Amino acid sequence: MTTNGMIHHIELYVSDLTASKKFWEWLLVKHLGYTVYQTWLQGISYRKDAQSYIVLVQVSQDKITPSYNRTHVGLNHIAFSISDKQSLLQIKSEVHNLNYKELYENRYPYAGGKKHYALYVEDPDRIKVELVLD
């Protein structure tokens, strides 16, 4: 297997590391099979396999504004595959129980189109996360 072109890691700067860790650990570790990879005072990373990982880093307070906006230049969203419908339904249920925001709720599960079964949620910094049924 070649690693040429594979994503090595994604690093997200967050406004509140505690809130972000709660959201991302719930999603990545509990539901998507990631494990905590590295931790340090201002950050944490999660790894799914030996090739790639996701990093959260607390930004300094003087860098929090302007806040993230996915409709401006930059990252719009991160999408993850989900292997079965029951897992997606479980995540959807927990999104509401944990008071996270589901996006496009009135168009679930086809907000991305008639053949695109997905759930869209926001992390604490309003980064859109898409969970796509394989």
Side-chain angles (χ1 to χ4, degrees):
M1 178 177 106
T2 179
T3 58
N4 190 34
M6 297 296 293
I7 292 175
H8 187 271
H9 68 276
I10 297 170
E11 187 165 320
L12 302 174
Y13 277 34
V14 299
S15 64
D16 180 342
L17 184 59
T18 301
S20 291
K21 279 172 55 175
K22 182 179 175 189
F23 173 86
W24 286 101
E25 273 185 32
W26 161 76
L27 181 62
L28 296 175
V29 175
K30 182 176 181 185
H31 291 289
L32 300 181
Y34 283 71
T35 58
V36 173
Y37 177 44
Q38 302 162 313
T39 60
W40 62 100
L41 187 60
Q42 298 299 320
I44 188 165
S45 65
Y46 303 94
R47 183 165 65 177
K48 174 73 172 174
D49 54 39
Q51 271 71 46
S52 60
Y53 56 96
I54 297 173
V55 182
L56 307 178
V57 177
Q58 174 68 55
V59 299
S60 62
Q61 293 302 307
D62 63 328
K63 304 277 185 185
I64 289 178
T65 54
S67 62
Y68 170 79
N69 188 324
R70 69 176 167 268
T71 64
H72 293 181
V73 172
L75 178 74
N76 177 265
H77 70 282
I78 299 173
F80 297 93
S81 295
I82 297 288
S83 59
D84 64 277
K85 193 179 286 188
Q86 187 57 40
S87 295
L88 190 63
L89 290 171
Q90 179 64 38
I91 293 169
K92 180 177 171 50
S93 171
E94 290 180 25
V95 162
H96 295 280
N97 292 339
L98 295 168
N99 293 318
Y100 293 128
K101 182 174 180 174
E102 178 180 352
L103 300 170
Y104 323 119
E105 186 175 1
N106 62 331
R107 298 188 327 223
Y108 171 83
Y110 298 109
K114 289 190 282 186
K115 296 181 180 183
H116 190 75
Y117 199 104
L119 173 67
Y120 298 85
V121 300
E122 279 185 339
D123 89 334
D125 284 310
R126 301 196 63 226
I127 295 173
K128 181 170 40 174
V129 179
E130 180 180 358
L131 302 163
V132 183
L133 185 66
D134 281 340

